[in-house]
Amino acid sequence: MCDLRLPEGVSDRSGDTANGVALDLADAVAGFLTARLREAPRASLVVSGGSTPLPFFRALSGKDLDWGRVDVLLADERWVEENDDASNTRLVRENLLKNKAASARFLSLKQPGATPSEGLERVKAELADLALPIDVLILGMGNDGHTASLFPDAPELESAMNPECQEIVAPATPASQPQKRITLTWPPLRDARFTALHLKGEDKLQTLDRAMSEPDKVLEMPIRAFLKPGLQVFWSP
Ligand SMILES: O=C(O)[C@H](O)[C@@H](O)[C@H](O)[C@H](O)COP(=O)(O)O
């Protein structure tokens, strides 16, 4: 257990090791996708980049489910080419879209264009037939309280977090980050059927604790918007 008092309705799925939590998360996600595929022609899986998800990606890639009917996409992406070490697309292709998951359909947030704004229409076209609501959403969190690329210092944050935002994807240009980014906006993320927050390390636990201390100040720590009933927290030391 993560020995934090999580908000009402938020489940603690913490474990003693990063690998154990990754395996547990992979089991939960595979189970949810399998159940969805009994009811719907396709299912959607939105994952986050960064370093935490790697063991989860590798475990999920081996799960036996009808991957040909699963749409996989990122919650956000750095606006870099796929051969760049900072590319989340590269991370997903190398660690998740292999083994049994190789047959999943990947919808890429990185499209041609010098900037996210220039490429935005192409990204929207790529996501045009993505069925909403998202079925499975895996979020990470930075120690500034960002999630996806909803950064506190992004000039676009307020519009991306607006519950009335009509766009499902938007550029993000936080000064704190070396690359411009593109991110799913709050409404599609908010409405996911299954949302997991995947965290590793004591620092992330302290950040989560800080986030819970002032839950209404969402623009200061965007993760706060997700600390709602139904969220499952998968944390390991
Ligand atoms: O592109 C990104 O950076 C991610 O989407 C981002 O939201 C990530 O989930 C957090 O920054 C946590 O990253 P770590 O897992 O590396 O701590």
Side-chain angles (χ1 to χ4, degrees), residues 47-53 74-78 86 88 139-143 146-151 177 181 198 200 204:
V47 295
S48 290
S51 56
T52 304
L74 281 153
D76 67 314
E77 177 59 296
R78 297 84 179 271
N88 285 335
L139 291 173
M141 180 188 71
N143 284 320
H146 84 261
T147 191
S149 279
L150 299 167
F151 283 86
Q177 300 304 308
R181 293 178 170 229
H198 188 196
K200 177 178 179 297
K204 297 293 178 74

Side-chain angles (χ1 to χ4, degrees), residues 6-78:
L6 295 172
E8 186 70 29
V10 174
S11 311
D12 182 358
R13 301 287 298 265
S14 302
D16 300 332
T17 66
N19 203 49
V21 165
L23 293 174
D24 184 20
L25 180 55
D27 285 347
V29 168
F32 196 92
L33 289 173
T34 301
R36 279 298 299 157
L37 289 169
R38 288 194 200 102
E39 301 163 356
R42 297 192 69 78
S44 54
L45 166 64
V46 177
V47 295
S48 290
S51 56
T52 304
L54 290 184
F56 159 65
F57 287 166
R58 293 169 188 148
L60 185 61
S61 75
K63 292 295 182 185
D64 194 2
L65 56 97
D66 193 352
W67 284 103
R69 293 195 289 136
V70 179
D71 292 329
V72 175
L73 61 152
L74 281 153
D76 67 314
E77 177 59 296
R78 297 84 179 271

Side-chain angles (χ1 to χ4, degrees), residues 63 113 115 125 176 198 205:
K63 292 295 182 185
T115 66
S176 61
H198 188 196
L205 210 52

Side-chain angles (χ1 to χ4, degrees), residues 192-210:
R193 291 188 171 95
F194 172 106
T195 304
L197 180 56
H198 188 196
L199 305 173
K200 177 178 179 297
E202 290 300 331
D203 59 330
K204 297 293 178 74
L205 210 52
Q206 288 161 21
T207 301
L208 185 59
D209 198 23
R210 186 154 49 86

